[in-house]
Amino acid sequence: RKEVEQDPGPFNVPEGATVAFNCTYSNSASQSFFWYRQDCRKEPKLLMSVYSSGNEDGRFTAQLNRASQYISLLIRDSKLSDSATYLCVGSEPGGGADGLTFGKGTHLIIQP
Amino acid sequence: GAVVSQHPSRVICKSGTSVKIECRSLDFQATTMFWYRQFPKQSLMLMATSNEGSKATYEQGVEKDKFLINHASLTLSTLTVTSAHPEDSSFYICSASDRRVWNTEAFFGQGTRLTVV
């Protein structure tokens, strides 16, 4: 069974700190990955896509390590508004219903 | 980004009745749709995955006769909670993806908050 594993947390981090969490995947055929952010009582929204070794968008950096089969998400200068659950998703080519595997999310709490 | 519309956003129903939730992809064709349930302060739990025109694949522990999924077109999937009971009260979310497009992500609907009284 293909798995995407995440530490559920919660991660309690002081405002302004840098926080990183990993997502491991079991399917070596996975070629692209996505980080979603889910706020309380809302639907998940796409935060970043990772197709090669990594991606950076402002304070957010995602890195992919294919040898060790994990993706990390780094948040610099964390803000209170970063508090959310972060979902990791792996995608494999070829289409079909099995092409996307979702992690269960990591809960992040930024504290003032 | 692509839009997935989920309806209704909130529904209250009496115990024993059935509720239908719709998930539509508005500007793309969804070959695959995923249905999730999320209880308060818990993570998303995948209930089932469906490919257009095929029967849904249910996760272990999810009753297929209770949670009927129809994915008859590339833009619409429905989840029907049959004979709903208070323990079915939850946040139900769909996501849709065109798996023919290389490296595409899934897009989520806004969710449906179901309360069974």
Side-chain angles (χ1 to χ4, degrees):
Chain A
R1 182 177 173 82
K2 299 160 194 167
E3 299 284 348
V4 171
E5 301 284 349
Q6 295 182 252
D7 183 338
F11 284 50
N12 291 284
V13 175
E15 188 177 10
T18 296
V19 59
F21 32 84
N22 287 345
C23 162
T24 60
Y25 61 96
S26 63
N27 183 8
S28 59
S30 296
Q31 292 207 344
S32 55
F33 300 87
F34 307 96
W35 281 104
Y36 287 80
R37 171 199 169 117
Q38 184 182 22
D39 293 299
C40 187
R41 299 168 74 89
K42 295 285 183 68
E43 76 276 18
K45 293 187 184 296
L46 184 66
L47 178 66
M48 297 184 75
S49 304
V50 185
Y51 300 124
S52 55
S53 60
N55 195 3
E56 184 172 331
D57 183 4
R59 298 182 295 110
F60 298 83
T61 300
Q63 290 191 318
L64 171 60
N65 185 316
R66 291 194 187 276
S68 301
Q69 294 189 198
Y70 74 84
I71 316 97
S72 63
L73 179 66
L74 180 81
I75 305 175
R76 289 179 295 277
D77 186 24
S78 56
K79 303 188 184 306
L80 296 177
S81 57
D82 294 332
S83 298
T85 296
Y86 292 84
L87 296 168
C88 173
V89 180
S91 175
E92 64 179 68
D98 291 332
L100 288 173
T101 306
F102 289 79
K104 295 192 174 183
T106 296
H107 189 198
L108 175 65
I109 301 171
I110 305 298
Q111 297 176 327
Chain B
V3 178
V4 173
S5 175
Q6 189 172 338
H7 178 81
S9 58
R10 291 179 182 270
V11 58
I12 301 173
C13 72
K14 290 185 178 180
S15 186
T17 61
S18 296
V19 174
K20 180 184 283 189
I21 302 169
E22 292 188 349
C23 182
R24 292 180 185 274
S25 57
L26 298 185
D27 52 1
F28 70 103
Q29 293 184 326
T31 60
T32 305
M33 289 202 178
F34 306 86
W35 286 95
Y36 302 86
R37 180 167 51 182
Q38 187 173 38
F39 294 106
K41 298 187 179 182
Q42 294 189 22
S43 59
L44 283 174
M45 291 176 53
L46 181 65
M47 298 175 67
T49 305
S50 70
N51 279 327
E52 180 264 339
S54 302
K55 289 185 178 180
T57 301
Y58 289 80
E59 295 297 297
Q60 194 170 10
V62 178
E63 300 174 58
K64 62 180 181 181
D65 294 330
K66 180 171 180 62
F67 298 99
L68 302 178
I69 292 172
N70 182 285
H71 189 174
S73 79
L74 284 170
T75 59
L76 174 64
S77 176
T78 60
L79 167 68
T80 301
V81 182
T82 63
S83 186
H85 291 286
E87 58 265 30
D88 298 323
S89 298
S90 187
F91 188 49
Y92 293 85
I93 310 178
C94 69
S95 69
S97 181
D98 186 346
R99 301 303 297 147
R100 300 168 301 185
V101 178
W102 187 71
N103 276 344
T104 189
E105 68 267 38
F107 300 92
F108 285 83
Q110 304 93 325
T112 297
R113 197 159 303 280
L114 171 65
T115 304
V116 185
V117 297

